[in-house]
């Protein structure tokens, strides 16, 4: 019995020591394959521990910012199991593409090899990109949605030649260019919410990248000039922005007010989250009008909430339109 307890204690200490070593490994400390593995495994533990949607939404910005999870050329990529980078720590444009078939200088399909290594419990993949490089991949399960992703460190290839993946969506009853008043705005957002919700609920988010790209396509059904869609977490962290992608992963200022004292961001986001939908009239700077920077121009905003898989937390999607006259 004593030997059994001693063995168990030694095993527990060994696991603790290994976990502690991983927890201390940062991007800046990666020097070789073993430290790369420790870094990726430590990041996996951090990411899996996130259970709040707002904290999960901040991950996009964290992976792109110099710090524990990124240092110079050392960064992480979170892949969807369908082959698209859900979050790319270095190349935002790669998030619009499927990389499953990309090859290295030797014709090896590197991302597929990374997925195989991850499925086998985590492992290294060597690839040739102007020289031999080493990447490490491991699967992880989201603490928010219970869905699986692949986390990769050490992988870097030029993917500028890979085409953007745009979903072939049916034409909505009201397109972005047809939004002219309250009624058309509501119809536009309602259908967008349905489309985005279906993408979020798709197996492994497999259709999400294509839908996001369709929502961002200028002159398409879902974006026309100042008419675009945004998606935020219930706490106001930007998940998607049809006009300014750099906002993704960053918090919306819920305290900002217009000239009339209306906390428009807070009312739209929290109203939609609690009531299911929210319509609001407020004033905001219209880039097309000179001289309204201080007062803002009349704007109509509409937002609705949608469920997130395997959790009771909600996201919010909305849009808005500038008007010259009051909306009835």
């Amino acid at each position: 019995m004593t030997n059994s307890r001693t063995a168990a204690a030694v095993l527990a200490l060994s696991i603790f020591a290994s976990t502690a070593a991983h927890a201390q490994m940062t991007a800046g400390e990666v020097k070789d394959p073993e430290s790369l593995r420790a870094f990726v495994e430590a990041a996996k533990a951090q990411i899996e521990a996130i259970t709040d949607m707002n904290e999960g939404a901040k991950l996009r910005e964290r992976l792109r910012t110099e710090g524990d999870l990124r240092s110079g050329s050392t960064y992480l990529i979170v892949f969807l199991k369908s082959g698209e980078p859900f979050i790319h720590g270095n190349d935002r444009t790669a998030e619009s593409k499927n990389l499953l078939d990309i090859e290295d200088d030797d014709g090896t399909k590197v991302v597929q090899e990374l997925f195989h290594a991850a499925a086998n419990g985590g492992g290294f993949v060597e690839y040739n990109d102007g020289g031999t490089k080493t990447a490490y991949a491991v699967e992880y399960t989201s603490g928010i949605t219970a869905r699986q992703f692949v986390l990769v460190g050490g992988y870097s290839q030029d993917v500028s030649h890979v085409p953007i993946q745009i979903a072939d969506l049916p034409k909505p009853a009201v397109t972005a260019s047809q939004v002219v008043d309250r009624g058309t705005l509501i119809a536009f957002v309602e259908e967008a919410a349905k489309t985005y919700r279906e993408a979020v609920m798709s197996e492994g988010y497999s259709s999400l990248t294509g839908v996001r790209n369709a929502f961002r396509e200028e002159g398409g059904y879902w974006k026309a000039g100042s008419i675009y869609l945004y998606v935020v977490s219930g706490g106001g962290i930007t998940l998607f922005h049809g006009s300014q992608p750099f906002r993704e992963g960053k918090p919306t200022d819920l305290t900002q007010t217009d000239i009339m004292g209306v906390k428009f961001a807070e009312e739209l986001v929290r109203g939609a989250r609690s009531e299911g939908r929210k319509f609001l009239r407020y004033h905001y700077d219209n880039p097309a009008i000179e001289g309204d920077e201080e007062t803002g121009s009349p704007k109509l905003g509409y937002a609705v909430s949608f469920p997130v898989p395997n959790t009771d937390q909600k996201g919010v999607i909305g849009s808005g339109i500038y008007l010259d006259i009051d909306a009835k």
Side-chain angles (χ1 to χ4, degrees):
M1 179 68 71
T2 301
N3 290 339
S4 177
R5 289 178 177 173
T6 301
V10 170
L11 177 61
L13 286 172
S14 175
I15 293 173
F16 174 79
S18 176
T19 302
H22 285 174
Q24 295 172 1
M25 184 62 63
T26 66
E29 297 173 301
V30 174
K31 306 298 182 185
D32 52 31
E34 183 55 32
S35 57
L36 174 64
R37 181 189 68 83
F39 166 58
V40 176
E41 291 285 353
K44 169 191 172 181
Q46 286 188 49
I47 296 171
E48 283 188 323
I50 299 173
T51 58
D52 178 74
M53 182 180 178
N54 297 301
E55 291 304 312
K58 294 176 184 177
L59 183 62
R60 186 176 299 276
E61 182 67 10
R62 284 184 62 198
L63 294 188
R64 292 173 176 158
T65 304
E66 288 288 314
D68 289 351
L69 297 179
R70 172 171 180 168
S71 178
S73 60
T74 301
Y75 54 84
L76 295 164
I77 306 173
V78 176
F79 276 96
L80 299 178
K81 299 294 283 291
S82 50
E84 299 89 356
F86 186 60
I87 305 175
H88 197 296
N90 186 61
D91 182 3
R92 188 189 304 273
T93 63
E95 296 174 0
S96 299
K97 304 173 180 182
N98 188 297
L99 305 185
L100 272 183
D101 291 328
I102 190 169
E103 298 180 349
D104 70 358
D105 294 345
D106 295 330
T108 300
K109 294 186 176 181
V110 185
V111 174
Q112 291 188 26
E113 292 299 315
L114 289 167
F115 279 24
H116 290 323
N120 288 326
F124 294 103
V125 171
E126 287 193 349
Y127 62 103
N128 185 357
D129 185 53
T132 301
K133 297 181 179 179
T134 301
Y136 183 83
V138 65
E139 291 184 347
Y140 79 87
T141 302
S142 168
I144 303 171
T145 65
R147 290 185 166 185
Q148 282 196 324
F149 297 82
V150 175
L151 183 65
V152 176
Y155 172 60
S156 174
Q157 278 189 279
D158 178 9
V159 298
S160 59
H161 62 286
V162 179
I164 291 176
Q165 181 182 357
I166 300 177
D168 184 17
L169 300 174
K171 184 178 180 179
V174 175
T175 67
S177 63
Q178 295 172 326
V179 176
V180 294
D181 54 21
R182 173 174 176 155
T184 51
L185 173 63
I186 291 175
F188 173 65
V189 173
E190 291 280 356
E191 191 152 0
K194 178 178 179 294
T195 301
Y196 197 87
R197 180 170 60 247
E198 290 174 350
V200 168
M201 300 303 287
S202 64
E203 184 68 27
Y205 297 123
S206 58
S207 64
L208 184 58
T209 298
V211 168
R212 287 164 57 94
N213 290 340
F215 279 8
R216 193 172 277 133
E217 184 182 20
E218 180 62 48
Y221 295 150
W222 307 97
K223 183 177 185 296
S226 64
I227 308 298
Y228 59 85
L229 294 154
Y230 62 83
V231 181
V232 298
S233 68
I237 309 300
T238 302
L239 299 169
F240 168 81
H241 199 289
S243 180
Q244 299 175 327
F246 69 85
R247 295 186 181 277
E248 294 171 7
K250 299 178 180 180
T252 299
D253 183 3
L254 297 179
T255 67
Q256 58 185 323
T257 61
D258 71 357
I259 193 173
M260 304 301 292
V262 177
K263 291 186 176 181
F264 50 91
E266 178 182 36
E267 288 200 31
L268 281 168
V269 174
R270 294 185 177 169
R273 184 184 63 182
S274 61
E275 303 166 22
R277 52 185 45 82
K278 180 69 176 180
F279 178 82
L280 185 69
R281 164 76 183 275
Y282 60 101
H283 289 74
Y284 197 74
D285 174 30
N286 186 345
I289 297 178
E290 293 185 8
D292 75 336
E293 292 79 9
E294 296 296 327
T295 62
S297 296
K299 189 170 187 178
L300 305 176
Y302 184 68
V304 300
S305 62
F306 62 90
V308 176
N310 305 315
T311 176
D312 58 0
Q313 300 178 55
K314 295 181 179 179
V316 172
I317 182 170
S319 186
I321 180 174
Y322 290 101
L323 292 179
D324 295 326
I325 58 174
D326 292 343
K328 300 297 184 182

